[in-house]
Amino acid sequence: MPSMLINGQWQAATQGEVFPVHNPATEEVIDYVPRATAADAEQAMIAAERAFREWRKVTAHDKAHILHEIAHKMRAHAEELATLLTLEGGKPLVENRDEIGWCAACFDYYAELQRNTRGRVIPSVEPSQLAMVLKEPYGVVAAIVPWNYPLLLMSWKVAPALAAGNTVVLKPSEMTPLATLRFAELCCDHVPPGVLNIITGFGDVGRELVVSPRTQMIAFTGSFATGREIARLAAERVKKTHLELGGKDAFIVAEDADLDVAVPGVAWAALLNAGQVCTSTERVYVHESIARPFTERLVEFVRSLRLGPGMDPDTDIGPLIGEKYRAKVEDHVEEARARGATILTGGRRPPQFTRGFFYEPTVLTNVDHSFRIMREETFGPTIPIMTYRTFDEAIELVNDCDYGLGANLYTNDPRKVKQYYEEVKAGTCWVNDPLTDNDAGPFGGMKFSGGARELGEEGLEEFLETKHVHWDFTMVRKPWWYPYGKGKQS
């Protein structure tokens, strides 16, 4: 049974409690992990607080070496980590192999980027002065990570946080802690004790990390409701928050789109990880002139995809993470059906599986923006389709949403591309290449999706705060009223 990592030591929960981790494809228990208490969270934060005093002084060269070693260990144990991700999260193994590669690349990226982190010298108001703008770490960062991409979204927080000189207390999702604990086991020898701590538990432990005065920053990816509560609690201490709160991403398919590319592209964007991606396509807008051939080909393509356990190499789409998540998808689909939507394929639990949280990939038409499936985050394998007449109308439909994480477009018309990225309110705009990440490109949302940025230089800046140093090196005595007296302005 795995243990928690606190101050470089592996230990059980203070009260000795554990909880099970299930395989969503079989509903069987894989393993048990410690159920942390407030006392465990406090112990981890104290360890991180103490370690920060020295970690912030570590040179850029030495930090780069540590981060590169972590990346190396992840690649060396990629198959083991990917297998754990598949067993606890349900994604097909091939997708989790990709996830490990992306994680390692993220640590390598920030290993090098932090070498070039710098402030600046600014003009002084008098010759005897030196004015500098410095960038320094916040201190202890609480990183709360969701279940859909446990190691990737961990990497997007931990790598820049450590690179910036912060220490971290990490809480993985209670549904997917196993790969994260194994990651820590592989990498803890390279990180000084207390710099990275991992506790496993539920929302009560996460809340403790948010409200404690020992944490200076909260980095969270998850639902809007939870993010809003974190923001409220953190605001009581005017604490820095870094929130990525999901989306309701749209996809425009223009009349000039190549359907040989657009059909599998839309399916990929909507059904990757069974639609359990923050940037999953959850709304599709197709020009009316191509709606029929596009929809027919999309249905045919979706029907060709194979549902199954993630460890089966023939599986294209795995299960949803749990029963309540499948129930939400079912509620959205059933409400749409009751209000007149047409289910072209899917819309049910697959009869061939008696266990596991499977749901057939579903294509719907005859929907509109009054339906929940077009307004709320579904987070499942659904593709609701609407048509549009003009590109202005398509842009208006995309923006008619509280969320603004990402948006997609298929077209070969540069005028449409320019209008799209200028007018769509979304943190990432993909054109002809959906859901592609770039370590050097910032990722984050607008509106209810949160304003934080991960990856890129912006992702490192999020974990640094700015200090102005004003130094008069002559120590010349000034009048007591200086600089607020005659002819001076404050």
Side-chain angles (χ1 to χ4, degrees):
M1 182 177 70
S3 301
M4 299 184 295
L5 178 64
I6 299 177
N7 200 30
Q9 302 295 316
W10 293 96
Q11 60 188 63
T14 301
Q15 296 182 0
E17 291 189 32
V18 297
F19 63 91
V21 179
H22 293 88
N23 182 336
T26 65
E27 304 180 44
E28 296 172 341
V29 174
I30 308 169
D31 209 336
Y32 293 84
V33 296
R35 179 166 185 162
T37 63
D40 297 314
E42 177 74 3
Q43 188 180 355
M45 289 184 285
I46 290 173
E49 200 172 46
R50 290 174 178 167
F52 175 66
R53 301 167 192 167
E54 297 302 321
W55 178 251
R56 66 178 301 172
K57 302 174 187 176
V58 173
T59 66
H61 172 82
D62 289 341
K63 281 191 295 184
H65 175 73
I66 290 170
L67 295 177
H68 280 311
E69 284 296 317
I70 291 174
H72 172 73
K73 276 291 182 67
M74 294 189 83
R75 291 190 179 97
H77 294 267
E79 195 67 15
E80 178 187 1
L81 292 170
T83 298
L84 280 173
L85 287 175
T86 299
L87 291 174
E88 66 182 347
K91 283 202 305 290
L93 184 60
V94 64
E95 294 180 25
N96 285 318
R97 287 172 178 146
D98 286 342
E99 181 173 345
I100 302 305
W102 300 333
C103 294
C106 180
F107 276 95
D108 278 336
Y109 175 77
Y110 282 111
E112 295 306 313
L113 187 64
Q114 59 90 31
R115 293 179 188 269
N116 300 299
T117 303
R118 56 190 180 276
R120 66 187 190 278
V121 176
I122 59 176
S124 300
V125 295
E126 292 187 7
S128 62
Q129 298 167 352
L130 177 64
M132 298 177 290
V133 178
L134 305 181
K135 301 289 185 177
E136 62 180 32
Y138 280 89
V140 179
V141 174
I144 302 174
V145 178
W147 48 263
N148 58 332
Y149 283 87
L151 291 185
L152 183 65
L153 295 176
M154 176 278 296
S155 300
W156 287 8
K157 294 168 179 58
V158 171
L162 298 184
N166 301 282
T167 54
V168 176
V169 178
L170 170 66
K171 192 196 91 65
S173 168
E174 63 272 16
M175 290 181 285
T176 55
L178 298 177
T180 304
L181 291 172
R182 181 56 180 147
F183 156 81
E185 194 175 12
L186 293 169
C187 302
C188 66
D189 289 345
H190 303 292
V191 181
V195 170
L196 176 61
N197 308 273
I198 300 179
I199 57 175
T200 51
F202 293 79
D204 57 329
V205 175
R207 189 182 190 280
E208 194 68 26
L209 297 178
V210 173
V211 301
S212 172
R214 297 189 187 278
T215 56
Q216 284 72 51
M217 178 179 173
I218 311 299
F220 168 79
T221 297
S223 72
F224 170 74
T226 303
R228 181 169 56 183
E229 178 65 8
I230 287 174
R232 185 188 69 80
L233 294 170
E236 294 178 2
R237 300 194 65 87
V238 199
K239 188 179 295 188
K240 163 83 173 187
T241 56
H242 179 279
L243 306 175
E244 194 268 275
L245 306 180
K248 189 72 180 174
D249 284 15
F251 209 130
I252 301 174
V253 182
E255 62 269 32
D256 66 321
D258 182 345
L259 296 188
D260 288 338
V261 177
V263 166
V266 168
W268 155 265
L271 303 178
L272 178 68
N273 192 18
Q276 300 172 118
V277 185
C278 298
T279 51
S280 286
T281 289
E282 296 201 3
R283 301 177 288 144
V284 179
Y285 305 106
V286 183
H287 192 270
E288 60 183 10
S289 66
I290 62 166
R292 182 171 180 176
F294 170 84
T295 303
E296 289 175 349
R297 292 178 63 172
L298 179 66
V299 169
E300 181 182 6
F301 184 87
V302 169
R303 285 175 177 166
S304 73
L305 300 175
R306 187 177 183 274
L307 280 171
M311 292 302 296
D312 185 338
D314 293 327
T315 290
D316 297 306
I317 301 175
L320 296 172
I321 190 65
E323 180 55 41
K324 75 173 184 178
Y325 298 91
R326 180 169 60 179
K328 181 180 181 181
V329 176
E330 290 175 327
D331 286 346
H332 283 197
V333 172
E334 289 309 311
E335 189 240 19
R337 193 199 310 262
R339 297 184 61 183
T342 302
I343 311 296
L344 299 179
T345 189
R348 62 174 186 168
R349 301 184 182 191
Q352 67 268 35
F353 297 106
T354 58
R355 296 181 66 82
F357 307 113
F358 294 96
Y359 191 79
E360 291 185 349
T362 303
V363 180
L364 310 88
T365 56
N366 298 324
V367 296
D368 64 49
H369 279 196
S370 66
F371 292 13
R372 291 172 64 200
I373 202 166
M374 296 297 285
R375 302 209 68 82
E376 300 176 14
E377 191 171 33
T378 304
F379 230 57
T382 61
I383 311 178
I385 301 172
M386 289 177 61
T387 61
Y388 69 90
R389 291 185 179 181
T390 69
F391 199 67
D392 287 342
E393 179 189 355
I395 295 290
E396 185 177 347
L397 288 167
V398 170
N399 286 332
D400 181 22
C401 182
D402 289 332
Y403 295 95
L405 189 56
N408 287 276
L409 169 66
Y410 268 127
T411 186
N412 290 305
D413 185 343
R415 294 167 298 182
K416 287 186 173 66
V417 174
K418 185 173 185 295
Q419 180 182 357
Y420 159 79
Y421 70 68
E422 287 181 344
E423 296 184 9
V424 165
K425 289 289 290 182
T428 301
C429 292
W430 288 283
V431 181
N432 299 336
D433 191 20
L435 272 61
T436 302
D437 290 323
N438 180 343
D439 287 324
F443 173 85
M446 299 178 180
K447 301 190 282 188
F448 281 11
S449 294
R453 290 296 180 269
E454 297 180 299
L455 302 180
E457 294 181 22
E458 292 83 354
L460 185 60
E461 286 288 330
E462 290 274 7
F463 291 91
L464 293 164
E465 55 184 344
T466 302
K467 177 181 287 183
H468 174 208
V469 176
H470 177 89
W471 177 15
D472 189 313
F473 45 82
T474 60
M475 292 189 66
V476 175
R477 182 176 179 179
K478 303 291 198 317
W480 69 269
W481 44 260
Y482 181 86
Y484 304 107
K486 296 178 182 179
K488 299 288 185 180
Q489 296 181 354
S490 61

